[in-house]
Structures are given as structure tokens and as C-alpha cells.
Amino acid sequence: MAKYFDVHPDNPQRRTIGTVADTIRSGGLIAYPTDSCFALGCRLGSRDGLDRIRAIRDLDDRHHFTLVCQNFAQLGQFVHIDNDVFRAIRAATPGRYTFILPATKEVPRQLLHPRKKTVGVRIPDHTVTQALLAELGEPLLSSTLLLPDEAEPLTQGWEIKERLDHVIDAVVDSGDCGTEPTTVVDFSGDVPEIVRRGAGDPSRFE
């Protein structure tokens, strides 16, 4: 059964955040809030966590997973960014965007798009997520908590626990965080491409 953690949205309890981080370090898969909607997250090197996310969401190998990073310095370890792209992304973070970029060798091969060798990265503007990332000291391998054949992500912590109780290890609940996923911008080509229009304003990249 998944553990349920009720976390204060503005002042996350340090002990609770520490317990959640320990769950991730030990290979656990969690559901957690972000500034766009709930997400599934596990440790970057967890093959079991990756396989469970694929199974829960019924994903194929072309799906772009996201590395949720605490800050720009951390993000820069995992993707290649030229000066123009650096300025564009820096101006939009933290925020409700996911950026697709060429991956560095720090990214496990199984996370890469099989043809493009790219990965998604983002820096969320969410107090609880930031507290968890700071405690963890590394990115979270993540994917939007959108179940197969459903139009919108799950929004209530209690419902997530009820429906995914036996396939995840913990639910972090700090209240409703919306249903609109991030705006996804692909910077791997010659010009930015809006792959998904979501919670972040796409006009700045058009």
C-alpha cells in the first residue's frame, strides 16, 4: 500500500520531505504535486521506477520522459544548451514549461528518445516540489500523472492513493495543483517547436 503524506503547501514539513526523499532513494515511485498538475516520479537511475511509470501510463519507447530539476545549474548537467536557447529557457524558468533538448552522457540511455537522443527537462515553480528536490539533491525522473484513456490528469491526492495504491509507494498531497500539463517546447531542431500547448504561455517561443 502507498504511504500518504499530507504536506503544507507553503511550509513543507522537513521531516516529511526527508521521509519522501528516502523513499525515492530506496527505489520508490511517488505521486507528487507540481505547478501544473500531479506527476509520477522516481530516482533517475531506477529502472524499476521507469518500468512502473511506463506500465501505469501505457507508454511506448517514443515517450519523452522529463527530468525535473531544482535549478538551472542542475539542469545544465543533463542537456546541451547553446547561448540563444540558454537565454530563452532561463527567462522562462522556474515555470510551467518542459523543454526537449539533446541529452548529455549523464542521462541513462533508456530515457532517451530512441532516434533523436533527446530528453525533457523542467524547473517547477512549486514550493513542495522545490523542497523535495533540494532534499533529494538530484533530479526526479517524472511523467505527468495521466492515466490511459483519461482526458485529464488526476487532481486529488486521496483519489490517486485509492486508484494507484498497489502500484506506487507514496502519495505527496499539498492540495489541488490543477489539471493542465506543462507547455512543451522542443529546442532540438533549428527553430523552437511547440509540441504541446499547456499551462505555460507558448507565445514567448513562437
Side-chain angles (χ1 to χ4, degrees), residues 69-122:
C69 301
Q70 181 188 0
N71 50 39
F72 214 90
Q74 191 178 75
L75 180 149
Q77 299 174 41
F78 298 96
V79 289
H80 296 289
I81 311 177
D82 66 28
N83 288 337
D84 289 342
V85 173
F86 175 92
R87 286 190 289 268
I89 293 178
R90 188 65 180 264
T93 54
R96 295 176 291 181
Y97 299 93
T98 298
F99 304 103
I100 297 173
L101 289 158
T104 68
K105 292 182 179 180
E106 299 296 317
V107 180
R109 183 177 54 82
Q110 63 265 29
L111 300 185
L112 302 179
H113 186 282
R115 181 174 56 84
K116 299 170 69 176
K117 307 305 180 188
T118 50
V119 70
V121 288
R122 68 171 301 221

Side-chain angles (χ1 to χ4, degrees), residues 167-180:
V167 291
I168 63 176
D169 299 292
V171 176
V172 181
D173 190 359
S174 62
D176 190 358
C177 57
T179 61
E180 193 171 16

